[in-house]
Amino acid sequence: MIKKVDHIGIAVQSLEKALPFYTEVLKLPLIAIEEVASEKLRVAFLSAGETKIELLEPASPESTVAKFIEKRGEGIHHVALGVESIEERIREMKENGIRMISDEPKIGAGGAHVAFMHPKSTFGVLYELCEKKGK
C-alpha cells in the first residue's frame, strides 16, 4: 500500500531566507523551485536521500500554508506517503473511517497526484497520499 515516505513538507515564510539553512548548513542539494498556482504556493524541493524535503512558501495570504503559518508558525506541515493507485488508497482510507480533505486526487507540486487525510482522523498529523504517475 505505502511504498515510502516520499517527502516532508515544511511551511516557511520565505524560501529566500530558509534555503541557505538547507543548502549551506545541512548541505542538501536543491532539486528545483516551482510555483503551484492552484495552491498559491512556491515550492522548493531538496534531496535528503530517498526522501525529499519540500519547503512551502505561501504566494498569497489566502493560501492554506499562509493560514497554517499564521496559526502554528513555521515548521512541519505534512508527511507525504508515496503510493500506487491513489484512487484505490483514498477509497481504502475512507472505508477505514479516515476523513479525507478531498475525495478526489489533485495535481500537486512536481505533477504528482495528491490527496490529504484530515488531521482530525490521523492523530493530529496532516498526511498526504502522493502518486507520481509514470515513475
Side-chain angles (χ1 to χ4, degrees), residues 37-69:
S38 64
E39 299 301 316
K40 300 177 183 115
L41 289 176
R42 286 186 62 228
V43 181
F45 300 94
L46 298 125
S47 179
E50 294 208 11
T51 302
K52 292 181 183 56
I53 302 290
E54 186 180 86
L55 301 180
L56 308 164
E57 174 193 75
S60 162
E62 291 84 40
S63 78
T64 58
V65 172
K67 292 172 186 167
F68 175 91
I69 291 172

Side-chain angles (χ1 to χ4, degrees), residues 61-121:
E62 291 84 40
S63 78
T64 58
V65 172
K67 292 172 186 167
F68 175 91
I69 291 172
E70 184 179 305
K71 185 175 181 182
R72 297 189 178 97
E74 295 178 296
I76 293 178
H77 180 264
H78 68 270
V79 176
L81 305 171
V83 300
E84 293 177 356
S85 306
I86 192 167
E87 292 87 356
E88 181 69 17
R89 301 295 77 79
I90 291 168
R91 186 186 63 72
E92 288 174 356
M93 292 301 120
K94 290 171 68 176
E95 285 175 356
N96 282 288
I98 302 300
R99 184 172 145 202
M100 300 297 296
I101 291 175
S102 174
D103 291 334
E104 298 293 326
K106 299 192 299 187
I107 301 297
H113 293 230
V114 302
F116 288 88
M117 293 179 239
H118 198 287
K120 288 186 178 177
S121 294

